[in-house]
């Protein structure tokens, strides 16, 4: 993984590992961070997880949840949230946006399927371990753990065990306060179904 110019390690003292109990909802707060900064943060966050610096936040029994997505907030301040997410088979986030927050992710292990609305249809891509993606304001997508068969189709020697666990590191700036959910209509348009207040990454766990 690439080294980070905006270092999580050097900023550690400026962040609190304890999430605030309340946050004012702000759907369009300005942020000095840009997608490239968030990509660096998720990249270094993934390196820190691999190095064991967040072992104290991982499941205490060493067993990743098998039925529902799991997440731990790695770092937070008023400007950015950084999360580690564990993905389980068949559980998607639903089609959603991140309100006024920019986002980015780095896949740490396994692979994710992303279905992104491009203005006329949903386009699918697979993000494997080491891949990164950024999400500008207005980005609408659904994310789920990639089915083994979809990864196998691109990797002839694919071992399904490589999807265990499927982990990714996400960053949002400003920190996430709301998400809107959508459905694709029979006319090939996008319709918002609901908006929720949340500080959970990629939808409630």
């Amino acid at each position: 993984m690439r080294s980070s110019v905006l270092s999580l390690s050097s900023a550690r003292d400026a962040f609190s590992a304890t999430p605030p109990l309340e946050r004012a909802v702000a759907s369009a707060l300005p942020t000095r961070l840009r997608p490239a900064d968030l990509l660096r943060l998720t990249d270094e966050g993934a390196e820190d997880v691999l190095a064991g610096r967040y072992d104290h936040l991982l499941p205490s029994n060493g067993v990743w949840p098998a039925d529902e997505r799991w997440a731990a907030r790695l770092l937070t301040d008023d400007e950015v949230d950084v999360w580690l997410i564990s993905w389980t088979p068949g559980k998607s986030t639903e089609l959603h946006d991140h309100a006024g927050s920019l986002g980015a992710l780095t896949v740490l292990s396994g692979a994710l399927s992303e279905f992104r609305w491009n203005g006329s249809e949903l386009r699918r891509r697979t993000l494997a371990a080491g891949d990164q993606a950024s999400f500008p304001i207005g980005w609408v997508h659904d994310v789920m753990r990639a089915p083994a068969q979809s990864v196998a189709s691109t990797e002839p020697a694919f071992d399904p065990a490589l999807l265990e666990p499927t982990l990714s590191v996400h960053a949002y700036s400003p920190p996430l306060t709301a998400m809107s959910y959508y459905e694709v209509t029979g006319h090939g348009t996008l319709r918002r179904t609901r908006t929720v207040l949340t500080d959970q990454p990629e939808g409630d766990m």
Side-chain angles (χ1 to χ4, degrees):
M1 292 183 178
R2 295 173 295 283
S3 61
S4 172
V5 175
L6 182 56
S7 170
L8 280 178
S9 301
S10 64
R12 203 174 305 278
D13 292 340
F15 287 79
S16 167
T18 303
L21 296 178
E22 294 183 358
R23 262 200 194 113
V25 175
S27 62
L29 281 176
T31 174
R32 71 177 181 87
L33 300 180
R34 295 295 177 260
D37 300 317
L38 299 184
L39 289 170
R40 294 186 190 107
L41 285 170
T42 61
D43 188 45
E44 188 163 321
E47 290 180 354
D48 285 347
V49 171
L50 288 173
R53 296 187 179 97
Y54 293 110
D55 282 357
H56 62 289
L57 297 178
L58 305 185
S60 58
N61 58 6
V63 178
W64 297 94
D67 297 324
E68 298 294 337
R69 283 183 296 133
W70 170 95
R73 185 184 263 121
L74 302 182
L75 297 169
T76 185
D77 70 0
D78 290 337
E79 191 168 50
V80 66
D81 266 347
V82 181
W83 291 84
L84 173 67
I85 302 178
S86 171
W87 301 81
T88 55
K91 302 288 185 178
S92 78
T93 61
E94 299 183 57
L95 201 58
H96 67 278
D97 65 22
H98 304 122
S101 297
L102 301 173
L105 69 82
T106 294
V107 180
L108 179 56
S109 60
L112 298 177
S113 290
E114 182 196 35
F115 300 86
R116 178 180 67 87
W117 180 253
N118 69 358
S120 59
E121 63 180 354
L122 291 174
R123 299 295 300 271
R124 176 180 176 174
R125 63 175 169 173
T126 299
L127 301 169
D131 289 343
Q132 295 187 296
S134 61
F135 315 123
I137 291 174
W139 191 273
V140 176
H141 68 170
D142 187 5
V143 183
M144 64 184 297
R145 174 174 146 157
Q149 60 268 25
S150 70
V151 181
S153 67
T154 59
E155 299 290 341
F158 174 73
D159 179 358
L162 294 177
L163 288 177
E164 298 294 348
T166 295
L167 302 173
S168 55
V169 175
H170 298 239
Y172 305 93
S173 182
L176 209 57
T177 57
M179 294 171 55
S180 291
Y181 290 86
Y182 299 85
E183 64 181 11
V184 180
T185 72
H187 302 291
T189 60
L190 210 57
R191 177 169 57 209
R192 184 168 58 190
T193 58
R194 68 191 189 279
T195 297
V196 299
L197 304 182
T198 184
D199 68 348
Q200 296 293 306
E202 298 303 312
D204 291 338
M205 295 293 109

